[in-house]
Amino acid sequence: MAEATATASAARPRRPITLRRVFASRIVSVALYAIVVWLIFRTARTGAEAMGYNWQWYRVPQYFLRRTEGGLELGELVTGLGASLLLSSVAFLLAIVVGLAVALLRLSNLVVGKAVARVFLEIVRNMPLLVLLYVFYYVGGPIFGLDRYVASVLCLGVFHGALVSEIFRAGINSVPRGQWEAAKSIGMTRGQSYRYIILPQSVRFMLPPLTGEAVNMIKSSAIVSVIAVAELTTAGRNIISDTYMSFEIWFTVAIVYLAVTLCLSVFVTRLERKYAVKT
């Protein structure tokens, strides 16, 4: 009797995920976000009132868009956000190139290449990003004539390139060994095998984590403000030095970063569902 009950339970189809359940789940997620944000603002407000802080939220919109004699003009926060996105995009393209080169060296038959890639990974992954930025700007800058923007792009590209290389390596290793043997059997060289067989198949495995790394790149780009590179965090610091609106501006900068990363996170989630590997 127990066996029959167990068999019937196993054969019973799972309850399908209805639109109502999905909607309820999203409502709960939004509610949790709202509660967390409310608690943060409530704590900040309580602390500011204890300090006798004078809130000036009415002055914040002008740093997004202002009206001048010549018409509408973008504010410092919008131009800073654009600079952050441009910096992150250029650095991420460099990270892709660096990551692919390091991954191919680690997977090659070259003993020296493997050793170089391994040393590179160990140094970069075990060094704090801030220290690496100082090395590029204060050490590499005077030696190679790098300005602060180029040093920032190189630092972010190298740092995230080490992380991206592991994504590439895992994606390449996920392709079945039989694909290598099939490419070799028809006379393809190793380079041709990578170009026509291996990399196109591994993209399915690598795309979701790569887009996730792009989100991390945007968050990491804020660190270049310590060397005064023009971007969103630097714009916020400059506004605060002029207006002393610390609470309003830092909250606004945080919300802007949160909005951008949440939009990218939604895109990453959809990408993961679309390219999910069924096992």
Side-chain angles (χ1 to χ4, degrees):
M1 183 67 179
E3 294 180 358
T5 304
T7 304
S9 299
R12 186 182 303 161
R14 294 182 178 180
R15 186 171 55 179
I17 300 177
T18 62
L19 185 61
R20 180 179 298 178
R21 291 175 60 191
V22 173
F23 182 74
S25 176
R26 291 182 178 178
I27 289 294
V28 171
S29 300
V30 171
L32 289 175
Y33 272 118
I35 291 172
V36 171
V37 171
W38 179 81
L39 287 174
I40 293 174
F41 272 97
R42 182 59 183 266
T43 304
R45 182 180 178 182
T46 303
E49 289 176 352
M51 296 167 52
Y53 186 79
N54 181 29
W55 292 94
Q56 304 178 65
W57 282 107
Y58 66 91
R59 299 176 60 187
V60 173
Q62 65 179 313
Y63 298 108
F64 286 96
L65 192 67
R66 66 171 64 95
R67 185 180 296 277
T68 62
E69 295 180 356
L72 294 177
E73 182 182 81
L74 295 179
E76 290 86 342
L77 293 178
V78 176
T79 56
L81 175 60
S84 292
L85 295 177
L86 179 60
L87 173 69
S88 301
S89 301
V90 176
F92 188 68
L93 291 177
L94 177 61
I96 294 292
V97 175
V98 172
L100 182 59
V102 173
L104 293 179
L105 282 176
R106 289 197 66 186
L107 295 171
S108 69
N109 297 323
L110 301 174
V111 177
V112 176
K114 287 183 177 181
V116 170
R118 190 67 185 176
V119 170
F120 169 81
L121 286 174
E122 291 301 325
I123 291 176
V124 174
R125 288 190 304 184
N126 292 290
M127 185 180 297
L129 179 56
L130 180 59
V131 176
L132 188 64
L133 179 62
Y134 285 155
V135 169
F136 270 92
Y137 182 60
Y138 291 109
V139 178
I143 295 175
F144 301 104
L146 306 176
D147 61 24
R148 62 190 66 196
Y149 188 86
V150 175
S152 300
V153 169
L154 291 176
C155 173
L156 292 173
V158 168
F159 183 80
H160 285 274
L163 305 177
V164 168
S165 69
E166 293 297 283
I167 297 175
F168 276 119
R169 189 170 69 90
I172 292 172
N173 285 333
S174 65
V175 178
R177 190 64 190 173
Q179 299 293 322
W180 288 97
E181 297 172 355
K184 187 177 180 180
S185 66
I186 60 177
M188 283 189 174
T189 63
R190 191 173 183 84
Q192 290 174 331
S193 300
Y194 271 118
R195 180 178 178 183
Y196 297 108
I197 304 296
I198 305 304
L199 289 179
Q201 294 187 58
S202 61
V203 166
R204 183 181 183 186
F205 297 90
M206 296 186 297
L207 200 54
L210 280 177
T211 49
E213 195 60 34
V215 175
N216 293 330
M217 176 71 79
I218 294 175
K219 293 185 290 186
S220 298
S221 67
I223 202 170
V224 303
S225 63
V226 299
I227 58 173
V229 175
E231 47 81 56
L232 180 58
T233 305
T234 305
R237 292 174 63 179
N238 293 338
I239 295 171
I240 291 171
S241 66
D242 294 336
T243 63
Y244 300 100
M245 296 191 304
S246 301
F247 285 92
E248 295 93 337
I249 297 302
W250 283 134
F251 270 125
T252 303
V253 170
I255 291 171
V256 171
Y257 273 118
L258 182 63
V260 173
T261 53
L262 278 178
C263 290
L264 288 175
S265 297
V266 171
F267 173 73
V268 170
T269 302
R270 297 195 174 198
L271 208 60
E272 288 177 348
R273 290 176 182 172
K274 181 177 180 180
Y275 292 99
V277 181
K278 297 179 175 60
T279 57

